[in-house]
């Protein structure tokens, strides 16, 4: 699959997720076969005003490449400037623009899904950012209630210079209780000539294959199902290639992944108490006695205590 000048070796991508897709987690997903990983959304203004917190979201390394940096912002000028800064200082393989985040604090600033009320602005942003940087520029958006409107807007983005489009097949106002409408993704695939990435409710081997068959999309993007479960990329990749299911990871293998996450987080100076606790809970999802385990992890007073609890699970 090719996004502009960027050739990808595979078609299963890791979704950008705030507070989840940091460098250690992206490296694990890459190890298990994610063809492209993205940072969480990075605020354009934060970059322009050198916010330390914002910049910490783009810590990267060579082994995780190719890397997409996702930007969110509310104006073409701001995103244009932020994209140039990001390209100069962080050298990403592509820049993605977030047109889909429905979180209230993001929409209130005119960013994320708020942009979908102004398709001309979306197209201007994609056009200006594509002109300003040399790497491919892609866009990730949700769908409209009306399929024709969705098709009109994605066509505007392609015409403006987008190298690929990711469609999260829910509207801004549908939360995760609604099932993603993969048929819309199929319609987008028919409308455009650039690659179309399907996103929403791809959770295992079968849903992955169904989405490919139903939409003829070029690639799939996995979000929540990868949290605490980077191995999902290997499972899905293996199934799509061979038609065979790999056995699920056992407890020790899940714990190995958690400890590898910890090692990488230590290496890149990204160990923080809240993040470690969250990841400990995520990486033990589905284990027997999970509820008691989570209560223990919640009560842990420091990182060492979390490590002790996790180490005690190894058999
Ligand atoms: C915790 C969390 C954080 C997210 N943060 C972002 C983000 O920073 N940028 C973005 O484009 N989408 C974000 N999303 C949306 C996901 O990228 C994805 O579109 C959505 O979860 C649907 O895919 P899924 O059904 O595979 O989870 C986030 C989702 C979750 C659950």
């Amino acid at each position: 699959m090719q996004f502009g000048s960027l050739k990808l070796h595979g078609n299963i991508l890791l979704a950008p997720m705030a507070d989840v897709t940091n460098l250690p987690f992206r490296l694990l997903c890459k190890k298990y076969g994610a063809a492209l990983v993205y940072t969480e959304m990075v605020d354009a203004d934060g970059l322009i005003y050198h916010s330390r917190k914002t910049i910490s979201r783009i810590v990267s390394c060579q082994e995780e490449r190719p890397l997409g940096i996702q930007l969110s912002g509310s104006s073409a000028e701001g995103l244009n400037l932020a994209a140039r800064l990001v390209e100069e200082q962080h050298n990403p393989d592509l820049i993605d623009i977030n047109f889909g985040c429905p979180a209230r604090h993001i929409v209130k600033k005119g960013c994320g899904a708020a942009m979908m009320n102004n398709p001309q602005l979306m197209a201007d942003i994609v056009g200006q950012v594509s002109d300003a940087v040399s790497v491919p520029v892609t866009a990730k958006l949700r769908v409209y209630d009306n399929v024709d409107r969705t098709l009109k807007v994605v066509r505007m983005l392609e015409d403006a210079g987008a190298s690929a489009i990711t469609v999260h097949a829910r509207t801004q106002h549908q939360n995760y209780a609604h099932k993603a409408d993969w048929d819309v993704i199929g319609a987008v695939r028919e409308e455009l000539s650039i690659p179309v990435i399907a996103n929403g409710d791809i959770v295992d081997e079968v849903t992955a294959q169904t989405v490919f068959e139903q939409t003829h999309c070029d690639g799939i993007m996995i979000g929540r199902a990868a949290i605490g479960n980077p191995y999902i990329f290997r499972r899905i990749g293996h199934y799509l290639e061979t038609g065979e299911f790999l056995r699920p990871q056992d407890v020790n293998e899940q714990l190995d992944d958690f400890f590898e996450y910890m090692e990488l987080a230590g290496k890149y100076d990204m160990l923080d108490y809240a993040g470690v606790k969250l990841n400990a809970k995520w990486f033990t999802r589905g284990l027997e006695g999970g509820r008691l385990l989570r209560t223990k992890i919640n009560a842990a007073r420091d990182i060492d205590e979390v490590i002790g609890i996790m180490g005690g699970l190894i058999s």
Side-chain angles (χ1 to χ4, degrees), residues 8-295:
L8 295 176
H9 301 283
N11 52 9
I12 314 175
L13 282 53
L14 170 66
M17 286 184 283
D19 298 325
V20 179
T21 55
N22 58 11
L23 172 60
F25 183 67
R26 296 195 304 264
L27 280 165
L28 282 173
C29 293
K30 163 94 187 177
K31 169 179 127 177
Y32 284 126
L36 176 65
V37 295
Y38 292 85
T39 64
E40 63 180 286
M41 64 186 153
V42 178
D43 178 44
D45 287 344
L47 283 172
I48 294 165
Y49 295 111
H50 307 292
S51 149
R52 232 195 254 179
K53 195 166 174 196
T54 306
I55 293 166
S56 74
R57 299 202 162 109
I58 341 184
V59 175
S60 172
C61 72
Q62 199 52 37
E63 298 83 70
E64 69 167 332
R65 286 175 179 278
L67 170 71
I69 294 185
Q70 190 190 58
L71 297 179
S72 73
S74 59
S75 71
E77 298 71 34
L79 280 159
N80 186 337
L81 185 53
R84 278 187 284 144
L85 282 174
V86 153
E87 182 173 45
E88 249 173 59
Q89 294 171 6
H90 303 277
N91 189 27
D93 297 283
L94 72 79
I95 291 176
D96 185 68
I97 311 287
N98 181 321
F99 293 128
C101 180
R104 205 175 298 166
H105 67 286
I106 298 292
V107 170
K108 231 164 86 182
K109 291 193 294 185
C111 306
M115 295 268 181
M116 291 190 65
N117 296 320
N118 191 345
Q120 190 52 54
L121 177 59
M122 295 165 78
D124 289 346
I125 287 170
V126 167
Q128 287 196 29
V129 175
S130 304
D131 288 345
V133 297
S134 59
V135 292
V137 174
T138 59
K140 178 167 180 280
L141 75 162
R142 286 180 171 241
V143 299
Y144 294 93
D145 285 329
N146 176 315
V147 181
D148 289 339
R149 186 156 189 225
T150 302
L151 297 182
K152 188 170 163 207
V153 173
V154 292
R155 154 82 23 229
M156 286 169 74
L157 298 181
E158 173 168 326
D159 291 346
S163 292
I165 300 275
T166 301
V167 182
H168 176 190
R170 290 189 178 85
T171 68
Q172 177 189 349
H173 300 290
Q174 282 172 342
N175 64 24
Y176 287 104
H178 290 76
K179 204 183 155 329
D181 180 0
W182 295 332
D183 285 340
V184 186
I185 300 175
V188 171
R189 172 57 290 157
E190 268 190 33
E191 175 71 20
L192 301 184
S193 37
I194 52 175
V196 172
I197 307 303
N199 172 238
D201 291 342
I202 301 168
V203 295
D204 56 18
E205 294 89 335
V206 173
T207 44
Q209 184 164 42
T210 307
V211 169
F212 273 116
E213 284 172 2
Q214 193 173 324
T215 70
H216 305 289
C217 61
D218 303 271
I220 55 173
M221 177 183 274
I222 302 183
R224 290 163 299 160
I227 299 178
N229 181 26
Y231 188 65
I232 192 169
F233 289 96
R234 178 162 297 168
R235 273 180 35 203
I236 291 180
H238 184 82
Y239 181 76
L240 293 175
E241 251 177 71
T242 65
E244 286 165 10
F245 290 93
L246 287 176
R247 67 162 175 79
Q249 282 182 308
D250 65 24
V251 183
N252 286 341
E253 288 163 340
Q254 271 178 256
L255 291 168
D256 280 350
D257 283 347
F258 171 75
F259 282 109
E260 190 172 343
Y261 173 88
M262 294 292 289
E263 206 179 301
L264 291 165
K267 177 173 171 187
Y268 292 104
D269 200 17
M270 298 175 89
L271 276 176
D272 74 284
Y273 169 61
V276 167
K277 275 194 357 177
L278 277 175
N279 275 283
K281 288 188 275 185
W282 291 335
F283 276 85
T284 49
R285 263 197 319 209
L287 292 191
E288 222 174 278
R291 186 184 289 192
L292 180 63
L293 185 61
R294 279 190 290 280
T295 309

